[in-house]
Amino acid sequence: MSGPSRPVPFTADDYRARMARAADAAAGAGLAGVLVAPGPDLVHLTGYQPVNTERLTLLVLTPGQDPVLVVPTLEAPDAAEAVGGPALTLRDWTDGKDPYAVAAPLLRDRGKYGISDNTWAMHLLGLQGALPDTSYVSLTEALPMLRAVKDARELERLAAAGAAADAVYEEILKVRFSGRAETDIAAELADLLKRFGHSQVDFTVVGSGPNGANPHHEAGDRTIEPGDMVVLDFGGLKHGYGSDTSRTVHVGEPTAEERRVHDIVRQAQEAGCAAVRPGIACQEVDRAARAVIAEAGYGERFIHRTGHGIGVTTHEPPYMIEGEELPLVPGMCFSVEPGIYLPGRFGVRIEDIVTVTEDGGRRLNATSRELAIVE
Ligand code: ZN
Ligand code: ZN
Ligand code: ZN
């Protein structure tokens, strides 16, 4: 693919539009507004990325009113200079003052607010103390589509992050696995992610042999041996958007059983991706992938959900899991990553990021999903 190596930056106008959309959505959901603490929602709505601390920083979005950012006085200059800063009215408070007393007049007494999931409890308790009749609901539950549905420019970034992760996989296939520690391969994956434009590495899973049977295993000092299956799962952020892909490789010639298990996971992943289309519930993607594994007799060994959303973070709602009835909408991006885990022996996981289009799912990862043989 050709194109500029750097995406066109988001502007204050872009952030103004996102905040207006969030305020409108809040009104549509019967909320008095949206409250956002530092974290992925604030980055998405304003481009401002302060550290989340005990000092209250809070974006207040009220339908029909200009957005206001409550900010510690010492951080106000940084907030004003952030990309979306010009789109905000700042209301600062100095150390020693009660920040919740500064925020309270911006809220409607008895109003119900959507509040960002990662808001510290102490800040929510502070707001509740200042306005006891005001109520709060999780932002991702109240307005799940806000970050889940990506616009064209966000999709471009996610596609670029996916292409970079693909390039990392192609490179790692060329290195020697046998005789090296998992942490050694993990370090190479991290270097490659950076070389292909990632600014942040979130995880580099290298699960060799029995370690591959633990989906939460990252990388340890185990030496990779001939005959090992090796689960690779890596990702991070490139230009502010996430990558996350898994492939399972084998050191030398695999056994018939290893090939068979890998093939079942490959077919399950295919079925999960093929199920993606607008209007179906998230749980249908999980069911489609899970059915293939269950029919092959490994249902008990697929021990996690099929997928998770991705955007300004590498793991976020919506989740592809039984019970999630949220409908798929064009522009959503999430992983499809079934696996089979055989305790004490080996694991297999295959993961692509998929985006929902009018015509179905489109993968943002394009490397081969056949079992690759490494040295
Ligand atoms: Zn083997
Ligand atoms: Zn992953
Ligand atoms: Zn994932």
Side-chain angles (χ1 to χ4, degrees), residues 2 37 58 64 67 69 125 158 211 214 283 285 318:
S2 64
L58 191 73
L69 186 72
L125 291 168
L158 283 159
N211 288 342
N214 171 7
Q283 66 183 0
V285 178

Side-chain angles (χ1 to χ4, degrees), residues 227 250 253-260 345-346 371:
H250 191 270
E253 204 45 46
T255 64
E257 184 199 21
E258 286 168 335
R259 279 201 180 280
R260 183 177 128 74
R345 301 185 62 214
F346 66 92
L371 181 56

Side-chain angles (χ1 to χ4, degrees), residues 203 233 244 246 337 351:
F203 44 86
D233 187 347
D244 182 4
S246 302
E337 51 176 307
E351 172 180 25

Side-chain angles (χ1 to χ4, degrees), residues 176-180 222-229 250-253 258 374-375:
R176 180 168 191 85
F177 280 65
S178 182
R180 296 177 66 193
R222 183 179 183 277
T223 300
I224 301 170
E225 298 166 0
D228 279 353
M229 282 285 223
H250 191 270
V251 185
E253 204 45 46
E258 286 168 335
V374 295
E375 284 185 21

Side-chain angles (χ1 to χ4, degrees), residues 166-184:
D166 285 356
V168 170
Y169 178 64
E170 299 292 357
E171 287 301 311
I172 207 71
L173 287 180
K174 298 174 189 165
V175 312
R176 180 168 191 85
F177 280 65
S178 182
R180 296 177 66 193
E182 290 175 347
T183 47
D184 218 15

Side-chain angles (χ1 to χ4, degrees), residues 203 233 244-246 307-308 314-315 335 337 349 351 353:
F203 44 86
D233 187 347
D244 182 4
T245 188
S246 302
H308 56 81
T314 44
H315 283 85
S335 68
E337 51 176 307
R349 183 165 62 261
E351 172 180 25
I353 300 304

Side-chain angles (χ1 to χ4, degrees), residues 72-127:
T73 304
L74 77 169
E75 292 172 18
D78 286 346
E81 273 179 29
V83 189
L88 296 166
T89 300
L90 300 187
R91 196 69 58 86
D92 69 312
W93 62 273
T94 46
D95 281 355
K97 291 268 166 58
D98 178 1
Y100 310 107
V102 173
L106 302 170
L107 307 192
R108 204 176 76 209
D109 193 22
R110 297 178 204 285
K112 184 177 178 186
Y113 285 85
I115 188 162
S116 56
D117 294 12
N118 67 317
T119 306
W120 282 19
M122 66 173 280
H123 295 316
L124 178 54
L125 291 168
L127 291 169

